[in-house]
Amino acid sequence: MAVTLRVASGHLYGVALDYIPRRAASDLPFDGSDIVLRYIFEHHALPFEFEDTLEVWSVAILRYHSEDGCSQCPPDASLCRFQDGIPLGEMSFVRIRDYTRDPANAMTPGLHWSPAFEERMEVPAGDLLIMDRVRIEPPWRGFGIGALAAAEAIRRLADGCCAVACEPTPTDGDFENDKPGYPAAQAKIAKVWESVGFEAFHDGIYLLDPALRHPVDCRTKWQKHFGR
């Protein structure tokens, strides 16, 4: 199943972002409203071990142009190279169903149910959504596209979840956790996810509570940041 949704740039309310991208959205060669997310959910046709527990989503971050076309398109619309979208990045999410029903769930290291987890969440019952990976293509890094896309994807995928979890780490192989630049890169990525609504929990794990207003405000700030 593939679902494509356009990210609204909108004229929304919000205060200045606490995290400021190093590149201005106005420097992008396209409008924020051209950013589209395409959701793909795949599963085996035959039963498998975790079919009732795991739900895996892939989300493509794409650039589309308006229906009026653009100067880079040939006259023949069927040959338009933007027809399927230009890849800007990709994300992957894993949803663990009925997470809080099994306190000994072994598939989430560092995220076993605990009194601390229960106290942190406004509604500590339901599924757990893990933001497993967010990667932006190198030419488009530094604008905040990953934060905008993550905030919107979480809104779409976290319904019925008690929490969203992530571990801020670099996605490129150039950064191994024993290299000198790794801690600084990790701290920078953590700041990005804090701007989406995540907060430090423990052992490098960050949590977002979808029942709170804070993630909504964060998403609104990012939408306003890309609005023109």
Side-chain angles (χ1 to χ4, degrees):
M1 176 177 66
V3 182
T4 302
L5 298 169
R6 186 173 296 275
V7 177
S9 60
H11 299 288
L12 302 173
Y13 301 98
V15 296
L17 289 169
D18 295 329
Y19 166 79
I20 304 299
R22 59 182 172 85
R23 304 168 75 182
S26 58
D27 291 340
L28 283 168
F30 52 87
D31 191 81
S33 61
D34 293 340
I35 301 174
V36 172
L37 304 184
R38 177 179 295 162
Y39 297 75
I40 301 174
F41 171 56
E42 298 181 359
H43 64 88
H44 295 282
L46 297 178
F48 63 100
E49 185 177 2
F50 300 117
E51 65 173 338
D52 294 327
T53 306
L54 296 182
E55 190 175 287
V56 180
W57 288 85
S58 298
V59 184
I61 309 170
L62 306 167
R63 171 196 174 187
Y64 282 79
H65 61 61
S66 66
E67 294 180 358
D68 297 331
C70 66
S71 59
Q72 301 181 57
C73 296
D76 186 350
S78 64
L79 298 177
C80 176
R81 69 187 185 91
F82 288 106
Q83 189 171 10
D84 295 323
I86 297 298
L88 302 178
E90 59 186 359
M91 302 180 285
S92 60
F93 293 83
V94 178
R95 184 179 184 128
I96 302 177
R97 301 192 189 104
D98 294 326
Y99 168 74
T100 54
R101 186 177 299 179
D102 182 6
N105 197 316
M107 290 181 293
T108 53
L111 274 175
H112 301 311
W113 181 93
S114 66
F117 179 87
E118 183 176 14
E119 291 173 4
R120 177 65 68 90
M121 297 298 104
E122 184 75 13
V123 182
D127 297 353
L128 174 69
L129 182 67
I130 297 177
M131 189 172 72
D132 184 55
R133 176 182 171 87
V134 179
R135 183 183 184 277
I136 302 299
E137 296 294 334
W140 310 116
R141 295 176 184 175
F143 292 105
I145 293 175
L148 172 71
E152 178 63 22
I154 288 170
R155 180 173 81 93
R156 301 282 177 174
L157 298 176
D159 186 39
C161 291
C162 65
V164 185
C166 76
E167 184 177 5
T169 55
T171 57
D172 290 335
D174 293 340
F175 281 102
E176 300 294 340
N177 56 14
D178 59 347
K179 288 190 175 181
Y182 184 86
Q186 190 176 35
K188 183 177 180 180
I189 294 171
K191 286 293 184 182
V192 175
W193 298 141
E194 287 173 357
S195 76
V196 174
F198 285 93
E199 297 180 355
F201 181 49
H202 71 80
D203 294 338
I205 301 296
Y206 279 61
L207 294 178
L208 178 149
D209 190 338
L212 298 180
R213 177 71 190 181
H214 180 54
V216 178
D217 292 339
C218 290
R219 187 177 75 251
T220 298
K221 293 174 188 178
W222 278 110
Q223 289 175 325
K224 183 179 180 181
H225 178 75
F226 280 88
R228 295 182 180 176

